[in-house]
Every structure is written in structure tokens, then in C-alpha cells.
Amino acid sequence: MSCSVISIGLKGLEGYRVQVQVQVIEGMESIVVVGLPDASVKESRERVSAALRSLGFPLVDMKVVINLSPAEQKKNGPLFDLAIAIGVLKSGDFLKEEIPGDAGFIGALSLDGTVLPVEGMIAAILAAKKLNLRTLYLPFDPSIPSIEIPGLELVYIETIRDVMDVLSGQQLLPFAQHTKKPEEQHVIGRDFDKIIGHEFAKRALEIAASGEHFVLMDGPPGCGKSMLAETFPSILPSLSKEAQLEKISLYQLAGAPYNSIALPPYRHPHHSASAVSIIGGGSNPKPGEVSLAHRGVLFLDELGEFSKKTLDMLRQPLENETVTISRAHSTVTYPAKFIFIAAMNPCPCGYYGSKNQYCTCSDKQIKAYKGRVSGPILDRMDLLLSLEAVNMKDHDFTQIESSADIMKRVCAARERQYLRYGSEICNGSVPFEELIRKSPLTPVQQSELQRISITQGLSNRVQIKIIRLARTISDLQGVESITDASINEALSLRRLPSFSTVLMTGEKQGAMYE
């Protein structure tokens, strides 16, 4: 007798349907698994056999053949244990009830028949929805939040017996009701009201948070670059439910701990980190820092100290918001949509251009240091900021905005973008055709921007980034169209000259940012 049970295989975060086809025939007791299984899948033979024997279903005088279809796709991990066990029970006539064709089974087995959580369960749940499954049997994991997906019933089970009971019509106690956690509150660590001065940089970071733009800061040591970057997450909105699930999935696959589910991730790798740890990889490809920063912030301090090879490998994730890792046996793609913030010194000693310290670097050393960051990487940065040390005497300590105040404006600007584009997408990543269709420039704005691009030798990518920045600035102002003042401010954030006075009305708008 043979039967087929549905399970889910994972290729990175992408899931695909796996038909676990089981046939039991008379013969010497043995279990054969085919369909490109790796070592962990082959070991399921012993786990399934021992678990069924513990539950009173010994495979005496039975030869079991298991085919994992599609046969050309390599299978890995213990995710298929439960589906194999259910298939053996049905094919061996131990299970009388029919197995629904729209039900999936995932989970690893212990030797006593207990079903255990495995890595990638969140990714498998999301894949089950995409595969149009109506029911998914899986072990309960208290470390992940309660999940409710419309159209997909999650049946949490503890042992194989529980599955048999549910298939026969019995009800189980819902695990989630006893361990449901309250929703997290947005807790602010560092706050912008503790940062004195740097009004220009704070404004730039507010724009970056609103439109998910990339930022490069340079300045002498101690001027506040790292402090601003570490405070930046305090003005980011909490993650949506979908983003939370993506975050947990990636951290599970990487085996990395996380402190909060609702807060955007903040990754800060050291400049000695290898390219594999930042981009991802290994013999069994795991997510790297760029993927662990998905939906959050990736901060690279001392950008000039990273190897040129590592920085150039950032081009794909910065442009495509994904990273593809190819190995001999598989190719996986992980999401990598993050706000990139980088900081670097102006020279190896850090004091080139400083008013207080003498720079000891030669022109050759400065050129070599800046050359570590290639033109294509600089081209992908939206905002370029030059910082200087702050004179504490020149500032009013009582008139400083808090992160909560800034976050309100960021959230309002993002809501305008979500409403305009019909999905959770910001100006920094929306397709340019969609952005310009929704917010076209006037003929005068187009001609002036083209003139500046020609005189300054700007690439097409930089021109597009200026328009994206201007759109975000207009959103912060609550304006439906891209204004001349917003384009001027965007140009100043790229250290470019403003529009001609033909476009200016009244006072010179944006002058405070030059």
C-alpha cells in the first residue's frame, strides 16, 4: 500500500511543496529514502523507526520505501520527519483515517514520538500559505510569537498520537492560549534629546528614516558619527506583523539571538568581519549581517577599514534588496532590505580638515584611504554628511527634540508613502517609474536638474536619488507634489549647488542646509 503526504522544503527563506510518497511492502525490515536527501534527512529513518516502535507501531517484516518529490531538488534538515512518520502509519495500515490533500506536516521527531521544533518553522508557515494549504500540523515553539494567518489553520501538536487524534476528529488543547505574550511596546534606548547640536545631521537622519535612504557620514574622531547612528533606530517605527515574521525567520535560519520582535533590527559588524559573515554563505548557506539587518539598519563604522572586496560585495544587496549565494549543491536568495548607514574618517589619522588637530597624513595616504570606498558604493549613497565637533557653548540645552517627536513625523511621512503606493514601500526603494508617475516633476524642475547634472557630472543613479530625496522631504512637509524647496534641500544633502534663483520665491529656502 502506498500514500502521499505533503511537507515543505526550504531553500533559504523560500519554501516549496514536497510530496512525501511512502510505500510499505513485505520484506526484511528496512527503510530506504530517495529524492536527493542529505545526511540529516537520511537519519530520519532511524528516528521514525524508533518513534513508531515507542508508540506501539513496530515495523516488523516491513520494507519501507520513501520518495521525496520533486526528486531533482536536494532536501535538507529534519523538517520531513513528521510527514514521513504519518506516511508510514497510513501506508502500513496503522492509521485508518484519510489524510486531507490540503494538509501539510512539518517537525522533527525524538525517539519517544515527541514532535520537536526545527529551524525555519516561520519560513515554512509562510510558505504553506503561498502553497494554498488549509491546515498545517507542526510542533509548538514558545520562543516564537503567536501567528494568525487568514486561510491557514495551524494545528500545534506534541506527539504523533496528537496528529492521529486530530485526524480521527478529536480536539486538542490550544497551546498558544496558555503562553500568549503581550504585545511589545516601542522602547527607546538612546534618545536624540541627549545629542547636543548636529541639527543638520538630525534633519538628514529624519529624512533617511522617513524614506529609507542610505547615509554616509564623515568627520574627525569624536564628532558624534557613531552616536548619531546608534540613536537612529529610536526614530524608526515598529515592525509590521509581516516584517516581524521575516525577521524571526532569518534569525532562526542563522541561529542568531534577538532581543525584540517588534523593534527594527540594528546590526553593527566590526570592520574585521569577513565577507562571508557580512554577506552570508558557508557550505550550507546561512544569512549574513545584511540579511539579519533586513527591515532595519546596517551600520558600518570606520567604512574605510573594511576590505575593498567586502564593500564591493555590498553592491547587489544595496541595489536589489536581496543577496544571492551560489554553492555547488544549491543557490539560495535571502532578503536584504535595510537602511544603510556608514561612517568614516576623512583620512587615516582622522584629522584632515580639522580646525583643532594637525593631520599627519600625506596626500598619497589620503587618496589611498578614500580609494577603498569605490565610486559605485558612493554612487549608491543618498545622503552625504560632513560632521564637525560641536561647541557646547553655542547651543541651547532646553530646545532639543526627542526621538518620540521625530518619530511621529517619520510615521506620518511613511503613511503618506504607503497610501500613495498601495503597499508597505518607501520612496527609497519604490520603482522609479512608479515614483515619477505618482509625483512628476514640472518642466522647469526637470530642465534645472538636468543642467546641474551636466555641470556636476552626476550619474543617472544620483539624479534619481535626488528626486527620491525630494519626494521624501515633501512628504515630511505634507505636500502632495515635489516642491522646489525640497529639491534644493535634496541637492544640499548631496553637497551640490542649489537651483538657480529663477525657481526661488521669497527667502532662499534650503539655505540653512548648505
Side-chain angles (χ1 to χ4, degrees), residues 435-436 438-442 445 466-472 474-475 477 479-487:
L435 182 143
I436 208 67
K438 297 283 188 178
S439 306
L441 297 178
T442 66
Q445 289 174 337
I466 291 170
I467 297 173
R468 292 183 186 276
L469 279 173
R471 177 63 271 179
T472 299
S474 296
D475 283 328
Q477 297 169 346
V479 182
E480 289 299 322
S481 60
I482 298 176
T483 64
D484 299 341
S486 66
I487 299 178

Side-chain angles (χ1 to χ4, degrees), residues 12-14 120-127 130 144-145 147 149 212 239-256 258 260-265 287-288 290-296 321-322 333-338 424:
L13 270 191
E14 295 296 320
M121 276 180 38
I122 297 289
I125 293 172
L126 298 176
K130 293 179 181 178
I144 62 178
I147 303 171
I149 299 180
E212 294 184 346
L239 296 176
S240 64
K241 289 293 183 182
E242 179 184 354
Q244 290 178 26
L245 295 179
E246 291 178 356
K247 173 184 175 179
I248 298 171
S249 300
L250 288 163
Y251 276 73
Q252 275 191 339
L253 290 172
Y258 56 89
S260 170
I261 297 173
L263 298 182
V290 295
S291 295
L292 296 179
H294 180 61
R295 301 281 193 162
E321 299 180 347
T322 60
T333 299
Y334 291 114
K337 181 182 179 182
F338 53 85
E424 195 174 315

Side-chain angles (χ1 to χ4, degrees), residues 104-157:
F105 300 81
I106 59 172
L109 289 180
S110 63
L111 300 185
D112 63 355
T114 302
V115 187
L116 304 175
V118 293
E119 287 185 358
M121 276 180 38
I122 297 289
I125 293 172
L126 298 176
K129 174 61 177 176
K130 293 179 181 178
L131 295 172
N132 296 320
L133 298 182
R134 296 181 63 86
T135 309
L136 184 65
Y137 294 82
L138 71 164
F140 180 72
D141 187 352
S143 66
I144 62 178
S146 59
I147 303 171
E148 295 181 3
I149 299 180
L152 178 64
E153 181 186 4
L154 301 179
V155 181
Y156 294 103
I157 45 93

